[in-house]
Amino acid sequence: MIRQLILICSLFVVQVVLSQTKNNVISASFNNKPLKEVVLELERESSHVFFFKDEWLKDIIIKETFTEKPLNYILDRVFRETSINYIIYNSKVILSNNNVVYNSLPKDFFPEELDTLQINKEKENENETKTVVFYEQFSSQSTKDNPEIITIGKQNSNSKSYYTLTGKVNNLRTNEPLQNLVISVQNKSINAVTDEKGIYSIKLPVGYNSLETRLLGHKPEIRNIIIYGDGSLNFLVSEDTEELSEVLIVSKRNDNVKSVISGVTRIDVADIKTIPLVLGERDILKVAVTLPGIKTAGEGSSGFNVRGGRTDQNLILLDDAVIYNSAHFLGFFTALNPFTTGSLDIYKASIPVQYGGRLSSVFDIKTKDGNMEKLSGEGSIGPVTANLAVETPVIKNKSSLTTGFRATYSDWVLKTIKDEESLKNSQASFFDGVLKYTHKFNDKNRIQSTIYYSKDKFSISSDSVFNYSNLLGSIKWDHTFNGKNRGSVIVSSSQYKYDIDYEGDRNLNFDFGYNINETQLKLNMKYLYNKKHKFDYGFNSKLYKVNPGNIKPKGENSDIEAFSLDEERGIESAIYISDLYEISNKFLLDIGLRYSFYSALGPSQQNAYINGVPKEQSTIKEVKTYGNNEFIKTYGGPEARVSIRYLLTSELSLKASYNNLYQYIHLLSNNTTESPTDAWKLSDLNIKPQRSEQFSLGIYKDFNTANIEISLEGYYKKMKDILDYKIGADLILNEDLERELLQGEGKAYGIEFLIKKKNGKLNGWLSYSYSRSFTRLANTITEEQVNDGDYFPANYDKPHDFTVIANYKLTHRYSFSANFTYQTGRPITYPIGKYIFANEEQVVYSDRNKYRIPDYYRLDLGINIEGNHKIKKLAHSFWNISVYNVLGRNNPYSIFFENENGKIQAYKTSIFGTPIPTITYNFKF
């Protein structure tokens, strides 16, 4: 009987145990079910009570199937891709967001100095085991603007010591990415800096971190982070004050005062649409000429004279590749599509250390990145040109393509002119196109590639047809190594060429051609050492190939003999490093050193002349022969770049800078202005590189309440070994070109004033500069002196330059614009007498550039009409109605002299001597 009772009890116990075991497993299927519903269903099936907040479970969908699985297994699977942790205690399931829930205190939770007996006494008073939910206590240090603590990742017991936080920082108002923004961890030596796309990457210790952002012209922001895993966080950073709405020149907020760089200006193409320009073209480089320190030799001229420098002393870059001729149709138009161009940075004093090879300035033009989300575009139709630019995503949010094309229909216009047979037979056409591809692989790697081509063809009442073109391409790879190191590798290639097709006399018909090519490799690196030191370093190297010219007979009857000059080659390289050193909150120093070196390369034959006598055939002492890639002559030296800024107040600063530069390539032109048929010449055995030194000092003031910026800057520049020419120099197909050239020195100085009102109904700017530029060609050899070796004004010397740009916004759709310009007339050499020699009349000329042509002034007016501002439209339109040269001023472009019946008569030519009305239609989709 007892045995039977024991057996029955044993069976009962086994049944109870099996029953309990079966109740601890659950079968369930969740097909795209919200997480909250999953938790409630598990609560019903398991007879456990779940504790949680609804907001933790929002927007999470579960798709899982379980067959007789324990509750903890199901919870591990359900919560594995979420930020939820849990603990099962008795019949309770306690959830937590991000944090780990502990059922016992860590061993080192209590400090050693606590009374151990007291702790033990407290433990003895506990009648039952209790679960302790442990949250680390943090001092939020949050600001009024950032009260919340942001949790990244999911805490677990096997947490690493550090995790990586990545993200993107954008401007709050414009949503544009912010470059060079510093992100630092308070009370820790951890920093990161954003790249040109606003992307950052920073390694943070696990737990609490307080991140602070710093960027000139923007408010500091604080983000309080608790990090338990790798993750991302995007920032929106606001500016100190409102940015300008209609003004052309856009810069980072308060950069006018706070940045260390002086003599730098940024022009945003999106904001130049209201300026009245000739024939309605939205021309970024023509707008640049309205700024102090930047001039041209005359209306319609190509090339720029920056702070007394020559036109060949400007480095013009499009996406890091060089443009050798930036003008269409002899300088009337810029060879850049305004709708694919994003911005232009002009450096005319504190030239950053990564740029070199030119003495006066850098024009750094950037093409817009394409829209990675949707198809968009812009275009315009004007009197002589049409433009179109299209942006489209290739892979959404990862890659994009920007394409732009512009062309003129001036050929068609010329052929429609009646009673002008000569113009009907003329031609003047051009086009340009650009293609840019951008691909973002991840937050650390990005590639962009640009291809650009432009071509001009013109013949105005002439037997010669001129063709010239630019072709360039570049590939840039941006890589972020970590929060402190990032860099770019750039490969670029540029080609400029022209040819002349002459068909005037069948016995003299010919084709003439010229081209220059350069291929370049650059490595630009950035290293954020700490809050006070930011380093830029790298190297670049480029190979030049110049075909100085070749001529070929055209047609079977041509008497022209084929002839070509030997190719010129040279290699130019540089290494550099700079440190942006924040000495104090007021004192900022940017100091850099660049060492450049250049070698002319063979194969080549070079004439060596006797010193102290004119370079002539009879004074050649030796003809040196150099083999392929043999060094002919090597030049080089250190280039210092120093800029200093001192804040007198938060809205007032002083800036000073010094730099010295080398230039190893020269433009050969005996015209007053740059011509498409000018040729580039490399330094060699007989031609030294150009050198310069520039000092500048300025004071900068912001009136933030009135949105006004003021700057006053002075400079002094010295130049050596600049090229000039003997009177009557023959520069075309000359095998001994050095005999026609002179090398001398120059000096330039001036003072520049700029005041800008950045927004409001009336906005714009006023600029004035007083500047002088002189050349001296002194030599112990009398034949190689000009003006007895004294300084004389350069061809582009214009002491006074005054410009006013004004925009008045009447309503959101209607605005008015005005542009007034005044300039001193440029220098000219006049005939002052005549005499008879060998029975021929000869003309006596004054000293070079002793006189001046009449002063120049011009007023332009425009009316701008926006389309209605409905959001849902196929395209948004914008009309510009403008009149160029409203006063009809017959401004002289040049003056020439003719002998008529023994009497010398002076004549002047003008480009636009009458008002030029224009209507341009712009659209955007």
Side-chain angles (χ1 to χ4, degrees):
M1 183 68 179
I2 294 174
R3 289 181 179 179
Q4 291 177 344
L5 183 60
I6 293 173
L7 178 61
I8 291 172
C9 290
S10 299
L11 290 175
F12 177 77
V13 170
V14 170
Q15 184 178 3
V16 170
V17 170
L18 289 176
S19 176
Q20 289 179 346
T21 303
K22 186 174 181 180
N23 287 339
N24 284 335
V25 296
I26 299 172
S27 296
S29 179
F30 308 119
N31 186 15
N32 293 326
K33 184 170 289 189
L35 181 57
K36 182 179 178 180
E37 294 183 18
V38 171
V39 169
L40 294 177
E41 185 172 334
L42 291 175
E43 187 177 52
R44 291 191 298 270
E45 295 293 329
S46 65
S47 299
H48 283 66
V49 178
F50 283 70
F51 297 88
F52 59 89
K53 286 186 176 181
D54 289 351
E55 61 191 53
W56 296 348
L57 311 182
K58 284 183 179 179
D59 304 321
I60 301 176
I61 302 298
I62 303 299
K63 186 177 182 180
E64 291 276 1
T65 299
F66 304 98
T67 303
E68 295 189 351
K69 297 294 183 182
L71 177 61
N72 61 332
Y73 175 85
I74 296 176
L75 294 179
D76 286 342
R77 297 281 296 179
V78 167
F79 295 143
R80 64 179 177 174
E81 299 296 334
T82 73
S83 60
I84 305 299
N85 280 313
Y86 74 92
I87 187 171
I88 301 176
Y89 170 64
N90 292 338
S91 61
K92 304 179 183 65
V93 179
I94 303 171
L95 306 186
S96 69
N97 191 26
N98 301 110
N99 304 92
V100 171
V101 182
Y102 297 91
N103 59 5
S104 62
L105 294 175
K107 293 180 180 179
D108 57 351
F109 181 77
F110 294 102
E112 294 180 1
E113 60 269 19
L114 287 180
D115 185 45
T116 306
L117 294 176
Q118 179 66 26
I119 296 173
N120 293 333
K121 183 178 180 180
E122 291 177 359
K123 288 184 177 179
E124 290 173 0
N125 292 334
E126 295 177 353
N127 297 322
E128 60 181 24
T129 304
K130 295 183 179 179
T131 298
V132 180
V133 181
F134 173 65
Y135 295 91
E136 185 178 357
Q137 299 300 311
F138 301 105
S139 173
S140 70
Q141 302 179 28
S142 56
T143 67
K144 183 172 63 175
D145 297 328
N146 300 287
E148 77 282 356
I149 295 178
I150 301 168
T151 305
I152 303 293
K154 177 179 177 179
Q155 187 184 20
N156 59 73
S157 57
N158 298 318
S159 293
K160 296 188 298 184
S161 298
Y162 287 85
Y163 289 99
T164 301
L165 180 68
T166 59
K168 186 175 183 181
V169 185
N170 284 18
N171 182 295
L172 177 63
R173 190 185 71 82
T174 66
N175 203 36
E176 292 293 322
L178 294 177
Q179 184 180 1
N180 295 327
L181 177 136
V182 176
I183 300 175
S184 58
V185 182
Q186 292 184 351
N187 302 321
K188 297 174 184 175
S189 297
I190 301 175
N191 303 280
V193 63
T194 58
D195 62 15
E196 63 183 19
K197 294 300 173 185
I199 295 171
Y200 72 92
S201 176
I202 188 169
K203 190 173 262 189
L204 301 175
V206 67
Y208 175 78
N209 296 272
S210 183
L211 305 185
E212 182 180 7
T213 67
R214 297 173 63 207
L215 179 64
L216 289 175
H218 293 75
K219 293 180 180 179
E221 300 282 348
I222 292 178
R223 295 292 186 273
N224 300 300
I225 308 294
I226 298 175
I227 189 165
Y228 293 131
D230 295 336
S232 63
L233 177 66
N234 296 332
F235 288 74
L236 288 174
V237 177
S238 59
E239 301 162 347
D240 277 349
T241 59
E242 286 187 24
E243 198 169 3
L244 40 122
S245 59
E246 290 286 333
V247 171
L248 304 179
I249 307 171
V250 178
S251 62
K252 295 177 182 177
R253 187 55 40 210
N254 283 343
D255 251 11
N256 182 53
V257 169
K258 293 184 178 180
S259 71
V260 70
I261 298 178
S262 59
V264 61
T265 300
R266 163 163 286 198
I267 303 175
D268 195 325
V269 176
D271 294 320
I272 69 173
K273 64 182 181 180
T274 60
I275 298 301
L277 296 171
V278 64
L279 298 176
E281 282 291 301
R282 192 183 299 185
D283 197 323
I284 191 170
L285 293 181
K286 296 297 184 187
V287 171
V289 177
T290 67
L291 301 172
I294 305 174
K295 303 178 183 180
T296 62
E299 192 170 44
S301 300
S302 59
F304 305 94
N305 304 109
V306 178
R307 289 194 167 179
R310 298 178 173 233
T311 56
D312 66 339
Q313 295 175 356
N314 305 304
L315 181 63
I316 302 178
L317 301 172
L318 177 63
D319 288 348
D320 300 292
V322 176
I323 297 181
Y324 276 93
N325 191 321
S326 60
H328 280 311
F329 193 39
L330 302 176
F332 292 111
F333 304 98
T334 296
L336 298 168
N337 190 318
F339 299 114
T340 59
T341 304
S343 64
L344 165 62
D345 290 324
I346 305 173
Y347 301 93
K348 54 186 179 178
S350 303
I351 296 178
V353 72
Q354 63 265 32
Y355 299 110
R358 298 294 191 274
L359 299 188
S360 292
S361 72
V362 176
F363 286 64
D364 190 9
I365 306 166
K366 297 297 184 185
T367 304
K368 289 195 295 187
D369 287 337
N371 193 324
M372 291 189 179
E373 297 183 354
K374 63 180 181 179
L375 178 70
S376 61
E378 286 185 88
S380 70
I381 301 173
V384 294
T385 62
N387 302 294
L388 180 64
V390 177
E391 303 172 30
T392 181
V394 178
I395 303 175
K396 193 170 183 179
N397 296 322
K398 290 188 73 70
S399 62
S400 66
L401 190 67
T402 299
T403 59
F405 183 79
R406 179 173 60 153
T408 181
Y409 26 82
S410 52
D411 267 351
W412 175 80
V413 174
L414 289 172
K415 287 179 171 50
T416 61
I417 298 177
K418 297 181 180 180
D419 303 324
E420 286 290 342
E421 198 64 33
S422 60
L423 288 179
K424 285 185 178 182
N425 296 325
S426 299
Q427 53 182 308
S429 63
F430 63 80
F431 68 88
D432 57 67
V434 64
L435 181 70
K436 181 177 182 179
Y437 176 74
T438 304
H439 190 99
K440 178 184 174 184
F441 294 95
N442 49 47
D443 290 338
K444 292 188 175 182
N445 293 281
R446 179 178 175 273
I447 285 181
Q448 66 180 37
S449 177
T450 302
I451 298 175
Y452 167 84
Y453 181 71
S454 71
K455 185 175 179 62
D456 281 69
K457 183 177 183 179
F458 66 92
S459 175
I460 305 297
S461 302
S462 174
D463 298 321
S464 300
V465 178
F466 295 83
N467 294 272
Y468 62 95
S469 63
N470 290 283
L471 174 64
L472 63 85
S474 67
I475 299 176
K476 181 179 181 182
W477 172 37
D478 296 316
H479 177 68
T480 300
F481 296 91
N482 51 48
K484 290 189 173 184
N485 292 276
R486 58 189 176 93
S488 302
V489 177
I490 304 163
V491 179
S492 65
S493 180
S494 302
Q495 179 194 75
Y496 175 70
K497 65 179 182 180
Y498 70 81
D499 63 76
I500 302 172
D501 182 0
Y502 178 75
E503 291 186 354
D505 184 338
R506 63 180 182 177
N507 294 324
L508 296 176
N509 293 342
F510 64 85
D511 281 326
F512 176 83
Y514 165 91
N515 67 74
I516 178 172
N517 295 267
E518 76 164 59
T519 303
Q520 181 168 211
L521 172 66
K522 301 180 187 178
L523 173 65
N524 295 330
M525 300 294 297
K526 295 183 180 295
Y527 174 53
L528 181 67
Y529 179 70
N530 55 33
K531 291 182 180 180
K532 290 186 175 294
H533 293 276
K534 176 186 174 185
F535 292 95
D536 287 326
Y537 62 97
F539 76 88
N540 60 62
S541 184
K542 64 171 65 176
L543 175 67
Y544 295 104
K545 293 183 179 180
V546 180
N547 173 9
N550 62 81
I551 190 169
K552 299 177 182 178
K554 186 173 183 179
E556 297 179 355
N557 298 322
S558 177
D559 295 331
I560 299 294
E561 294 184 11
F563 177 76
S564 65
L565 296 175
D566 293 336
E567 182 183 69
E568 297 179 16
R569 299 169 68 244
I571 185 167
E572 178 186 337
S573 303
I575 56 175
Y576 63 86
I577 186 170
S578 70
D579 179 16
L580 182 60
Y581 177 29
E582 186 178 345
I583 301 173
S584 68
N585 290 334
K586 292 186 175 183
F587 198 8
L588 191 61
L589 172 66
D590 190 353
I591 183 169
L593 179 65
R594 177 186 178 92
Y595 191 93
S596 66
F597 40 95
Y598 166 86
S599 293
L601 301 177
S604 178
Q605 287 189 333
Q606 299 279 308
N607 296 327
Y609 296 89
I610 301 172
N611 292 328
V613 295
K615 293 182 177 68
E616 298 175 351
Q617 181 67 34
S618 60
T619 60
I620 297 176
K621 66 177 181 180
E622 182 185 1
V623 177
K624 296 184 177 182
T625 301
Y626 299 88
N628 189 37
N629 292 327
E630 184 178 354
F631 287 0
I632 298 171
K633 182 72 174 179
T634 298
Y635 300 98
E639 302 179 16
R641 312 288 174 88
V642 181
S643 300
I644 302 171
R645 182 225 67 195
Y646 185 78
L647 284 177
L648 299 173
T649 69
S650 62
E651 296 182 351
L652 180 66
S653 69
L654 286 173
K655 299 181 190 179
S657 69
Y658 166 81
N659 58 47
N660 71 295
L661 303 103
Y662 284 77
Q663 179 170 330
Y664 304 101
I665 187 169
H666 318 262
L667 185 64
L668 303 178
S669 175
N670 51 14
N671 299 312
T672 301
T673 64
E674 184 177 320
S675 165
T677 55
D678 293 339
W680 291 85
K681 170 68 179 173
L682 300 177
S683 296
D684 57 22
L685 186 65
N686 293 292
I687 300 175
K688 299 177 182 179
Q690 304 177 59
R691 293 171 292 158
S692 75
E693 290 182 285
Q694 182 180 182
F695 304 84
S696 68
L697 177 66
I699 185 168
Y700 303 81
K701 172 66 177 175
D702 284 354
F703 297 91
N704 287 330
T705 56
N707 294 305
I708 291 176
E709 293 179 2
I710 297 178
S711 63
L712 181 66
E713 188 171 352
Y715 66 90
Y716 180 80
K717 181 191 293 186
K718 295 170 61 179
M719 294 167 282
K720 295 183 178 180
D721 295 317
I722 57 177
L723 277 188
D724 214 304
Y725 319 97
K726 296 179 180 178
I727 296 174
D730 182 10
L731 305 179
I732 304 298
L733 294 177
N734 191 331
E735 293 181 282
D736 304 308
L737 189 61
E738 67 273 3
R739 300 179 193 172
E740 306 291 337
L741 304 179
L742 303 174
Q743 286 197 280
E745 59 186 70
K747 65 179 180 180
Y749 55 86
I751 187 166
E752 301 169 356
F753 175 76
L754 178 66
I755 178 170
K756 297 188 294 182
K757 187 175 185 301
K758 295 169 286 186
N759 59 15
K761 285 201 167 186
L762 177 64
N763 57 77
W765 73 88
L766 179 152
S767 70
Y768 170 76
S769 64
Y770 176 80
S771 59
R772 300 304 309 271
S773 180
F774 298 95
T775 302
R776 184 169 71 173
L777 300 171
N779 201 308
T780 56
I781 304 171
T782 305
E783 292 86 343
E784 296 185 0
Q785 283 188 359
V786 174
N787 287 13
D788 298 323
D790 296 329
Y791 279 105
F792 59 89
N795 290 337
Y796 42 84
D797 178 65
K798 297 180 178 180
H800 299 282
D801 190 339
F802 176 79
T803 300
V804 177
I805 301 291
N807 303 303
Y808 182 76
K809 195 167 186 178
L810 187 62
T811 67
H812 287 294
R813 292 186 58 192
Y814 298 94
S815 63
F816 301 92
S817 304
N819 173 20
F820 177 78
T821 299
Y822 167 83
Q823 294 176 346
T824 306
R826 62 175 176 79
I828 190 172
T829 304
Y830 278 177
I832 58 175
K834 60 183 179 179
Y835 62 95
I836 304 297
F837 179 77
N839 296 323
E840 292 185 5
E841 186 177 78
Q842 305 293 330
V843 177
V844 179
Y845 284 89
S846 67
D847 287 344
R848 187 179 293 191
N849 292 346
K850 184 176 182 180
Y851 298 95
R852 292 183 179 274
I853 66 175
D855 292 350
Y856 176 99
Y857 63 85
R858 191 189 76 244
L859 174 66
D860 312 320
L861 297 175
I863 301 174
N864 313 291
I865 305 172
E866 298 270 4
N868 65 62
H869 293 167
K870 292 181 179 179
I871 297 177
K872 295 183 178 180
K873 293 179 63 177
L874 179 63
H876 293 268
S877 61
F878 169 77
W879 289 89
N880 176 266
I881 304 171
S882 63
V883 180
Y884 184 86
N885 193 12
V886 171
L887 302 177
R889 165 75 171 172
N890 198 15
N891 289 300
Y893 177 77
S894 65
I895 293 180
F896 62 95
F897 303 89
E898 290 186 359
N899 191 333
E900 296 181 355
N901 300 321
K903 190 174 183 179
I904 297 177
Q905 298 286 344
Y907 296 91
K908 69 177 181 179
T909 57
S910 298
I911 303 299
F912 298 107
T914 59
I916 307 295
T918 301
I919 300 178
T920 304
Y921 175 71
N922 301 266
F923 57 91
K924 185 175 184 179
F925 59 91

